[in-house]
């Protein structure tokens, strides 16, 4: 609607005190309002009587959105708006009986605001439970005659998809985003939902290394005009992350830099920050300074609530980044300890664990690990490419060229000629050998960028692997206990403790208690 017509419509609505019409209008322009338009909406909302405003939660949410939308200079500063919006949604949802609510529009508006509030507190499971209840009731209402129309069909599915994304449940997230996109594209005025769903689908596929699928959804993102500049960043951040992964896979430094300038460094108050962080740390590992990225890891943890960092996708991203950066900076034993402390079934640890074994010369272990996880459903396509390359290198070092050649056959299908990252992760000698043996295709640009790639990981590491009991014994000795006291505490003989001490000392290359403890902390074994 042209600005002049909208102004005239708002004047008429206020004069007629038609607050139902104002609700519908605010619903329609909630994403498009910015600057002068937001000011006009806020002016109209300020004339709604208090009792009417309290009875119409959608108008209260619109008030919050319009207030912050007037300040065009704060497009990227989301913290105040998100905090107030989510707090209001949480209060309104607390007084709403979902099973008895008769307005689908109110159900979605209030419910999704409350879901955002729960996610901001780290309660993703509760947010998804709420989302399921909202979806069930909304489906019931949609079948009733005379039911009101939700201004943004698919928006609830988008919010549930985001919740699942943060919970590391990508299959469910993809299905919900697809549903949202299909619902949003059936009629006009649904650009925000379609844009956000397509961008987040591109984000997930880019995050997992499915480049072709990510590019397909990026094409759809580019085909949708954002409702306003104010929400463009929010709605399309996922697409920018996907573009960043595409640039990193090709070792396109300038393209990746442009994307990171748009998304920030992962410390911003953006709900998809774990996906931003994954890209930021991958950039630091492969194209930046791993030591600097390790320091940034601590900054990231301080910028987000502990309950957000410790769960779902965020936890996997942070742990994976920590381990890979430790390996790159020569702290292999410390990296191995972090892997062992994690869930043995965690998909994020498979590739760095295999890389550690390869660098430690345990080639048979690498072949076994790669055979078990390369094609597992939870292994990302990007990890599968690198895992197969590690398996081929292990086979070569064991003298089995036929096995290496067979292993490289699927790599040709998993990578495109312009993909550089998987090969750049190898030492120059290893990458040259697997390219020749597997006849892996490289475009001219990819070959040029690969030639400029610096080594990412050490050529070799030496792991110090203490048994659980050896770690316990050293920990007790570090606490000042004598050998006899350790034996009594662990309910074993003194000779058993001395045997475990000797074994730990040998692994650490030390001959005294003080030397062993110092080496244990230096290497990260303790």
């Amino acid at each position: 609607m042209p600005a002049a017509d909208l102004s005239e419509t708002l004047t008429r609505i206020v004069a007629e005190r038609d607050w139902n019409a104002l609700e519908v209008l605010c619903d329609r322009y909630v994403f498009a309002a910015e600057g002068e338009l937001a000011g006009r909406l806020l002016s109209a909302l300020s004339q709604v009587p208090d009792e009417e405003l309290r009875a119409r939660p959608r108008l209260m949410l619109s008030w919050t959105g319009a207030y912050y939308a007037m300040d065009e200079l704060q497009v990227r500063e989301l913290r105040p708006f998100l905090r107030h919006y989510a707090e209001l949604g949480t209060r309104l949802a607390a007084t709403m009986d979902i099973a008895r609510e008769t307005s689908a529009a109110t159900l979605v508006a209030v419910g999704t605001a409350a879901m955002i509030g729960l996610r901001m507190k780290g309660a993703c499971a509760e947010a998804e439970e709420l989302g399921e209840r909202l979806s069930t009731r909304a489906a019931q209402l949609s079948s009733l005659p005379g039911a009101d129309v939700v201004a943004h069909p698919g928006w609830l599915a988008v919010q549930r998809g985001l919740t699942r994304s943060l919970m590391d449940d990508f299959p469910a997230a993809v299905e919900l985003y697809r549903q949202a996109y299909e619902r949003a594209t059936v009629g006009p005025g649904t650009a925000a939902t379609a844009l956000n769903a397509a961008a987040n689908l591109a984000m997930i596929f880019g995050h997992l290394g499915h480049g072709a699928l990510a590019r397909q959804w990026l094409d759809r993102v580019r085909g949708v005009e954002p409702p306003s500049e104010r929400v463009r960043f929010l709605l399309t951040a996922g697409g920018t992350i996907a573009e960043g992964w595409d640039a990193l896979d090709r070792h396109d430094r300038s393209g990746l830099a442009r994307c990171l300038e748009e998304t920030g460094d992962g410390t911003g108050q953006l709900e998809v920050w774990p996906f931003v962080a994954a890209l930021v740390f991958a950039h630091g590992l492969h194209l930046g300074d791993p030591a600097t990225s390790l320091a940034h890891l601590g900054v990231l943890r301080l910028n987000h609530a502990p309950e957000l960092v410790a769960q779902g996708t965020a936890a996997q991203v942070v742990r994976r980044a920590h381990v890979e950066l430790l390996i790159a900076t020569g702290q292999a034993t410390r990296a191995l300890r972090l892997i062992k402390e994690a869930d043995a079934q965690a998909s994020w640890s498979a590739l760095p664990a295999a890389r550690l074994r390869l660098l430690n010369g345990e080639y048979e272990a690498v072949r076994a690990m790669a055979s078990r996880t390369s094609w597992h459903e939870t292994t990302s396509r990007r990890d599968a490419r690198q895992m197969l390359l590690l398996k081929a290198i292990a086979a070569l070092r064991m003298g089995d060229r036929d096995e290496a050649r067979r292993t490289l056959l699927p790599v040709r299908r998993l990578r495109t000629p312009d993909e550089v990252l998987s090969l750049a992760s190898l030492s120059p000698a290893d990458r040259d050998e697997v390219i020749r043996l597997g006849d892996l295709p490289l475009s001219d640009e990819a070959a040029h960028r690969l030639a400029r790639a610096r080594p990412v990981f050490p050529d070799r590491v030496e792991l110090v692997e203490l048994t659980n009991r050896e770690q316990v014994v050293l920990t007790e000795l570090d606490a000042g206990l004598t050998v006899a006291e350790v034996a009594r505490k662990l309910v074993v003989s003194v000779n058993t403790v001395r045997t475990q001490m000797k074994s730990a000392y040998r692994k650490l290359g030390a001959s005294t208690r003080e030397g062993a403890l110092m080496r244990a902390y230096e290497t990260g074994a303790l």
Side-chain angles (χ1 to χ4, degrees), residues 67-378:
Y67 176 81
Y68 284 97
M70 288 193 303
D71 190 353
E72 296 182 33
L73 298 177
Q74 299 299 321
V75 171
R76 298 294 184 83
E77 183 46 62
L78 306 171
R79 294 174 195 264
F81 166 66
L82 286 177
R83 184 177 66 252
H84 291 164
Y85 183 79
E87 287 176 353
L88 177 58
T90 301
R91 291 199 302 271
L92 293 172
T95 63
M96 183 174 70
D97 187 343
I98 294 176
R100 295 177 182 274
E101 178 58 53
T102 58
S103 168
T106 298
L107 194 77
V108 171
V110 174
T112 52
M115 288 175 66
I116 293 172
L118 288 169
R119 289 199 302 258
M120 290 176 68
K121 295 190 298 183
C124 284
E126 292 179 45
E128 174 54 9
E129 181 184 359
L130 174 59
E132 289 180 352
R133 292 166 57 208
L134 293 168
S135 297
T136 300
R137 182 55 179 164
Q140 293 171 346
L141 291 173
S142 66
S143 62
L144 298 177
D148 62 351
V149 177
V150 177
H152 301 279
W155 187 245
L156 177 55
V158 163
Q159 291 301 318
R160 291 187 62 196
L162 179 52
T163 304
R164 288 291 184 176
S165 299
L166 298 175
M167 294 173 70
D168 191 39
D169 186 355
F170 297 144
V174 166
E175 178 60 27
L176 287 162
Y177 287 139
R178 287 185 187 275
Q179 290 177 15
Y181 185 82
E182 291 167 1
R183 293 172 187 171
T185 53
V186 298
T190 57
T193 301
L195 195 59
N196 201 203
N200 285 3
L201 279 165
M203 176 185 72
I204 288 179
F205 289 127
H207 181 80
L208 297 177
H210 293 278
L213 287 171
R215 287 188 289 273
Q216 287 178 20
W217 285 103
L218 281 172
D219 286 341
R220 300 191 187 190
V221 170
R222 298 182 186 109
V224 180
E225 187 70 22
S228 69
E229 180 60 26
R230 178 177 69 90
V231 296
R232 183 194 64 80
F233 173 67
L234 268 179
L235 298 178
T236 62
T240 306
I241 295 168
E243 291 175 345
W245 278 115
D246 181 64
L248 180 60
D249 282 336
R250 294 181 290 107
H251 263 224
D252 177 3
R253 293 174 180 269
S254 59
L256 179 55
R258 286 193 298 272
C259 293
L260 293 179
E261 184 179 0
E262 179 80 7
T263 63
D265 61 3
T267 60
Q269 191 69 20
L270 188 67
E271 283 209 87
V272 294
W273 70 264
F275 296 91
V276 176
L279 181 60
V280 167
F281 289 122
H283 166 260
L285 177 69
H286 296 281
L287 298 177
D289 178 14
T292 301
S293 292
L294 267 177
H296 182 61
L297 196 61
V299 175
L300 184 88
R301 286 192 172 107
L302 292 175
N303 273 269
H304 297 287
E307 56 270 21
L308 297 180
V309 179
Q311 67 169 343
T313 302
Q316 295 215 18
V317 164
V318 169
R319 290 169 185 164
R320 168 72 173 261
H322 197 181
V323 166
E324 290 192 320
L325 292 168
L326 285 173
I327 298 172
T329 53
Q331 303 178 68
T333 297
R334 188 167 279 109
L336 179 63
R337 183 162 61 87
L338 289 178
I339 291 174
K340 288 186 172 183
E341 289 173 354
D343 179 4
Q345 303 302 316
S347 60
W348 67 265
S349 65
L351 178 61
R355 195 183 308 280
L356 274 175
R357 297 303 175 187
L358 180 73
L359 297 178
N360 196 46
E362 301 174 57
Y363 306 131
E364 191 58 55
V366 175
R367 295 172 72 175
M369 294 169 73
S371 298
R372 184 170 61 251
T373 61
S374 293
W375 302 108
H376 195 276
E377 60 182 6
T378 62

Side-chain angles (χ1 to χ4, degrees), residues 481-497:
L481 273 64
T482 65
V483 173
E485 290 170 336
V486 172
R488 284 196 297 272
K489 185 171 182 177
L490 301 181
V491 195
V492 295
S493 69
V494 170
N495 286 337
T496 297
V497 172

Side-chain angles (χ1 to χ4, degrees), residues 38-53:
R40 290 174 179 172
L41 285 175
L42 191 62
S43 177
L45 286 164
S46 67
Q47 298 182 60
V48 180
D50 288 348
E51 63 274 12
E52 287 285 348
L53 197 62

